[in-house]
Amino acid sequence: MRPVFKIWLENNGKVFGEGPLEILQKVEKMGSLRSAAAQMGMSYNKAWRLIAALEERLGYHILEKRVGGASGGGSKVTSNAQQLMKRYSDFKEEAAIMLEKLYYKHFEDFEGD
Amino acid sequence: MRPVFKIWLENNGKVFGEGPLEILQKVEKMGSLRSAAAQMGMSYNKAWRLIAALEERLGYHILEKRVGGASGGGSKVTSNAQQLMKRYSDFKEEAAIMLEKLYYKHFEDFEGD
DNA sequence: TGCCGTTATACTATTTATAGTATATTGCTA
DNA sequence: TAGCAATATACTATAAATAGTATAACGGCA
């Protein structure tokens, strides 16, 4: 038996979590939402809707988007979103460690399994 | 913006969490799964399937069930399950406090919202 | 033995989430 | 100005989760 957890941020509905973090990391690396989605095996359509929903709930943009041009365009993570990524990521990492410890504290002598 | 989290236990799939805890608490109070479900506004069918799935994954019974008889029957939480309830409940409560603190540590000076 | 309220379980329906397909638009470049 | 690769968005299709309905079986008791 093992503990599993999910942590996310809410504002008017879910605003940031594991999924968005991963997408944004890929966008930083690839330079476009389309190729980021492709690399994750996710359809561009899904990725786009996910980002759109987040931006609406957050009330500010997490991607600077350019349409057209030499390369067709591309997307860049805003500095606001970069901060959010770092904070959420650190927060989650620490949480994982604490929860693991807490689990052992409460369950190490449990005989139910 | 605020942090939201879910914690549960897994064995071969989800084995215990917030929902099961609440049902079992109600069963203890009411004496039957049917009336526990009713009180939660949940169909008996759903409650029954939930319990059945849990028992299969845990490998032991969490309810002692009596069918028929004067009162029609009833269910009682096994002592194994009682332990599980207490430990999970304490674990989750502490986790909530720790995560709240951790959130403020990482986000108190965040200007993104 | 007939009634009652419970557990047990199959089967169907509905809703929700997720995924895919198609098409328009943009703006640099050859 | 034609082509390219990206964003933008509507519309449809599919899958998965969730909920509901119906029915059988049980066993005390009047």
Side-chain angles (χ1 to χ4, degrees):
Chain A
M1 208 162 62
R2 68 180 217 283
V4 182
F5 69 99
K6 280 188 189 297
I7 300 186
W8 63 93
L9 308 176
E10 291 203 356
N11 205 359
N12 309 306
K14 197 173 288 189
V15 134
F16 205 79
E18 198 58 28
L21 175 63
E22 194 182 345
I23 282 203
L24 293 188
Q25 286 170 339
K26 292 271 195 313
V27 171
E28 283 186 330
K29 197 169 66 178
M30 309 296 290
S32 83
L33 181 55
R34 171 161 243 111
S35 47
Q39 212 194 28
M40 293 176 62
M42 176 187 288
S43 73
Y44 167 73
N45 177 281
K46 181 178 175 182
W48 181 85
R49 276 175 297 154
L50 191 146
I51 297 290
L54 257 54
E55 289 187 330
E56 186 183 339
R57 289 175 193 147
L58 279 170
Y60 54 83
H61 286 161
I62 57 183
L63 288 184
E64 279 172 30
K65 300 150 196 169
R66 291 170 296 105
V67 183
S71 62
S75 291
K76 210 181 127 189
V77 179
T78 65
S79 68
N80 243 349
Q82 279 171 11
Q83 266 198 59
L84 195 53
M85 288 170 70
K86 167 139 188 55
R87 285 165 190 259
Y88 171 81
S89 154
D90 290 350
F91 171 48
K92 201 194 159 181
E93 194 175 336
E94 266 195 67
I97 294 168
M98 291 171 77
L99 288 173
E100 194 68 21
K101 280 185 194 157
L102 205 54
Y103 175 76
Y104 283 115
K105 172 179 164 193
H106 286 283
F107 283 91
E108 65 182 346
D109 62 335
F110 183 54
E111 296 177 355
D113 186 293
Chain B
M1 208 164 61
R2 72 198 165 85
V4 181
F5 69 98
K6 281 188 189 296
I7 301 185
W8 63 94
L9 308 176
E10 291 202 358
N11 205 358
N12 308 307
K14 197 173 288 189
V15 133
F16 206 79
E18 199 59 27
L21 175 63
E22 194 183 345
I23 282 204
L24 293 188
Q25 286 170 337
K26 292 271 194 313
V27 170
E28 282 186 330
K29 196 169 66 177
M30 310 295 292
S32 84
L33 182 56
R34 178 170 291 274
S35 46
Q39 212 195 28
M40 294 176 61
M42 176 187 288
S43 73
Y44 167 73
N45 177 282
K46 181 178 174 183
W48 182 85
R49 275 174 298 155
L50 191 145
I51 297 290
L54 258 53
E55 289 187 330
E56 186 183 339
R57 288 174 194 149
L58 279 170
Y60 54 82
H61 286 162
I62 57 182
L63 288 183
E64 280 171 29
K65 300 150 196 167
R66 290 170 297 103
V67 182
S71 64
S75 290
K76 210 181 126 189
V77 178
T78 65
S79 68
N80 243 349
Q82 278 170 11
Q83 265 199 61
L84 196 52
M85 288 169 70
K86 168 140 187 52
R87 284 165 190 261
Y88 172 80
S89 155
D90 291 350
F91 170 48
K92 204 198 157 180
E93 194 174 338
E94 266 195 68
I97 294 167
M98 290 171 78
L99 287 173
E100 194 68 21
K101 279 185 195 158
L102 205 54
Y103 175 75
Y104 283 116
K105 172 179 163 191
H106 286 283
F107 284 91
E108 65 181 346
D109 63 335
F110 183 53
E111 297 176 356
D113 186 294

